[in-house]
Amino acid sequence: MSAADERRGAGRRIAVVGGGWAGCAAAVALLDAGCDVTLFEAARTLGGRARAIETNGRLLDNGQHIMLGAYADTLRLMRRVGVEPGQALLRLPLQMRYPAADDGMDFVAPRLPAPLHMLAALLRARGLDRHDKLALARFTTSARWMGWQLYTDCSVAELLARFDQTARLGRLMWRPLCLAALNTPPERASAQVFLAVLRDSLGAHRAASDMLIPRVLLDALFPEAARRHLEGRGAAVRTSARIDALEPDGGAWRLRGGCDDQAFDGVVLAAPPWQAAALLRPLDGAADVVAQLDALAYEPIATVYLQYAPGLRLPLPFCALADAPHDNRWGQFVFDRGQLDPGQDGLLAVVISGADPAGAIGQEALAAAVAAQLAASFGQPALAAPLWRRTITEKRATFACTPALARPANATNLPGLALAGDYTASDYPATLEAAVRSGVIAAGVMTGATPR
């Protein structure tokens, strides 16, 4: 933040309502701009829908995340609050690798300059025949030529059909990538947003396309470090502090919650969209943004944790899995947490994006099915019998990222109030980077600065 930006915010009292990744990012950016910041979070801890929870006597993330090297804002803010990405994240080249028994593929981008890394990955890929490789090359070449843009948005399934993608590519590459990135099935997912993700992975320079897997709990990756940073520089961070009402008050904003009744010069509303809608609904002039928030639908993500005896190792830190719900195979990606953090030795995390159908069978049945799937995929019968298992489902993990979805802007027509969250207008889906970018932009709205 420049000195001019800091002068714009000097002395302004700004409240940030919501302590998820967007709220934490907004608070850090506002503090850097010289604002007097108070961060309110209804829960006991920061992190929102990307946090650790206590279960089985230990802390586990409520969901497993993969980041990209292109997540510049997230990586910059991590460093700003004292987290070193090189230590907190495992950096791997772009890849899609399946266990041998899954009849999958092995696609790994070598550490070569772009676009040679993608060409080499395609030539070396195992499990794809010539027709598959030509279809993949045709798609990526055409998408690059189009600037990764569509004149009219459509579903991912329709986009893939236009470019004659093979059924095998759809099953092993495009469907899992779409679910992992957009948390929405290809038949309903936005092709334009999907192209933006591909632009920063398949179509990016080599380092930007790298996959970054957290070695530490999500709390430690950013939110708790942000808290220390904020409090260390005089900002107030108030957890277990729910805000029940926002009211304009003579050019300022009054926040009410419990016994609290405070006035601020501005508010960054970084609560989840359904909570933001409830706070905005009574306000004059908020009808349009409330309508956009009410129109959002949501998709769940389930994470199945399986604990085995210490020393258990998978061949790779993470693998794709060939899911087949009709055969009770639900897992899409598996992470060997012991290869990421020695303190989680023997712990596997299996992710199921767009998990509505999986949720219908119940958490215990889902965990048992996933354990059986791993045993078959890796040819290790012992994986069917973990020491314990736990399914964590975030029912509204992300918004449903559908074609031509109208997402609200950060700036509102309510003076002194901005929105922050992964659901706000962006070319990205609901990712950590989208949340962080939105928080930084919302801070810029408050101070009149241009966020960087």
Side-chain angles (χ1 to χ4, degrees):
M1 190 75 67
S2 70
D5 290 342
E6 189 166 350
R7 287 194 296 273
R8 290 188 186 99
R12 297 195 70 207
R13 296 189 68 233
I14 306 296
V16 178
V17 179
W21 284 57
C24 288
V28 171
L30 287 165
L31 185 66
D32 282 350
C35 296
D36 181 355
V37 179
T38 301
L39 174 62
F40 295 92
E41 168 54 46
R44 290 179 297 174
T45 59
L46 303 180
R49 285 164 287 139
R51 69 195 187 284
I53 63 174
E54 187 172 350
T55 183
N56 288 77
R58 63 193 297 178
L59 289 174
L60 298 173
D61 286 330
N62 72 328
Q64 178 69 53
H65 287 260
I66 294 181
M67 300 163 61
L68 291 176
Y71 284 12
D73 282 274
T74 302
L75 297 173
R76 177 179 60 80
L77 276 189
M78 285 173 60
R79 293 187 182 95
R80 182 74 184 95
V81 300
V83 176
E84 176 47 55
Q87 297 175 3
L89 299 164
L90 173 65
R91 180 179 285 265
L92 296 173
L94 178 69
Q95 56 192 265
M96 185 69 74
R97 313 185 75 177
Y98 286 81
D102 265 3
D103 185 31
M105 59 184 283
D106 194 71
F107 180 96
V108 185
R111 298 192 182 279
L112 295 173
L116 292 178
H117 70 315
M118 284 303 301
L119 177 60
L122 190 58
L123 292 174
R124 297 176 183 177
R126 297 194 300 273
L128 299 178
D129 64 22
R130 180 175 178 274
H131 189 47
D132 298 322
K133 292 181 179 182
L134 287 174
L136 178 55
R138 180 171 60 250
F139 180 88
T140 54
T141 301
S142 298
R144 190 186 300 272
W145 178 80
M146 296 187 308
W148 309 94
Q149 293 286 330
L150 294 173
Y151 287 115
T152 303
D153 202 0
C154 62
S155 73
V156 170
E158 182 179 346
L159 178 71
L160 298 177
R162 288 181 190 175
F163 287 94
D164 298 319
Q165 296 301 283
T166 65
R168 186 167 179 80
L169 272 179
R171 179 171 64 87
L172 297 178
M173 174 74 87
W174 301 130
R175 182 176 183 275
L177 277 180
C178 181
L179 283 170
L182 277 64
N183 194 33
T184 308
E187 297 74 21
R188 296 190 287 108
S190 164
Q192 182 55 73
V193 176
F194 187 55
L195 284 173
V197 174
L198 296 182
R199 176 196 65 208
D200 290 346
S201 52
L202 300 183
H205 63 85
R206 202 273 309 158
S209 68
D210 282 349
M211 292 176 159
L212 310 179
I213 307 176
R215 293 183 178 275
V216 299
L217 292 172
L218 291 173
D219 303 56
L221 196 60
F222 178 59
E224 284 306 317
R227 178 175 192 156
R228 292 191 297 271
H229 176 83
L230 291 166
E231 291 180 333
R233 298 182 60 202
V237 178
R238 302 192 53 193
T239 52
S240 300
R242 180 179 298 278
I243 299 302
D244 298 316
L246 303 174
E247 299 174 7
D249 183 15
W253 284 91
R254 188 161 293 280
L255 274 60
R256 305 183 192 276
C259 298
D260 275 336
D261 186 339
Q262 298 185 57
F264 293 88
D265 298 315
V267 176
V268 172
L269 185 51
W274 56 92
Q275 294 177 2
L279 288 170
L280 294 173
R281 205 177 309 279
L283 303 179
D284 292 337
D288 288 346
V289 69
V290 169
Q292 287 182 311
L293 294 171
D294 286 343
L296 295 174
Y298 300 95
E299 298 280 355
I301 296 177
T303 303
V304 177
Y305 285 100
L306 304 166
Q307 179 66 61
Y308 299 91
L312 179 131
R313 286 289 183 272
L314 296 184
L316 298 165
F318 89 100
C319 292
L321 298 170
D323 66 325
H326 56 279
D327 287 333
N328 210 28
R329 297 168 61 93
W330 302 98
Q332 296 156 358
F333 291 91
V334 58
F335 296 78
D336 186 344
R337 295 297 311 171
Q339 294 191 47
L340 302 167
D341 174 8
Q344 298 187 38
D345 194 16
L347 181 66
L348 304 183
V350 180
V351 177
I352 305 164
S353 299
D356 257 340
I361 72 172
Q363 292 191 342
E364 277 299 312
L366 180 60
V370 165
Q373 178 185 0
L374 292 182
S377 295
F378 289 97
Q380 298 183 38
L383 292 176
L387 301 177
W388 57 258
R389 58 200 186 202
R390 174 78 160 88
T391 300
I392 299 173
T393 301
E394 193 72 32
K395 292 184 178 180
R396 292 189 281 194
T398 70
F399 63 88
C401 193
T402 52
L405 179 66
R407 296 162 63 177
N410 295 96
T412 72
N413 60 0
L414 301 171
L417 188 142
L419 298 179
D422 58 15
Y423 63 88
T424 57
S426 166
D427 62 351
Y428 254 38
T431 60
L432 297 179
E433 175 72 357
V436 169
R437 287 183 186 178
S438 182
V440 174
I441 293 170
V445 171
M446 285 289 97
T447 62
T450 301
R452 294 186 296 171

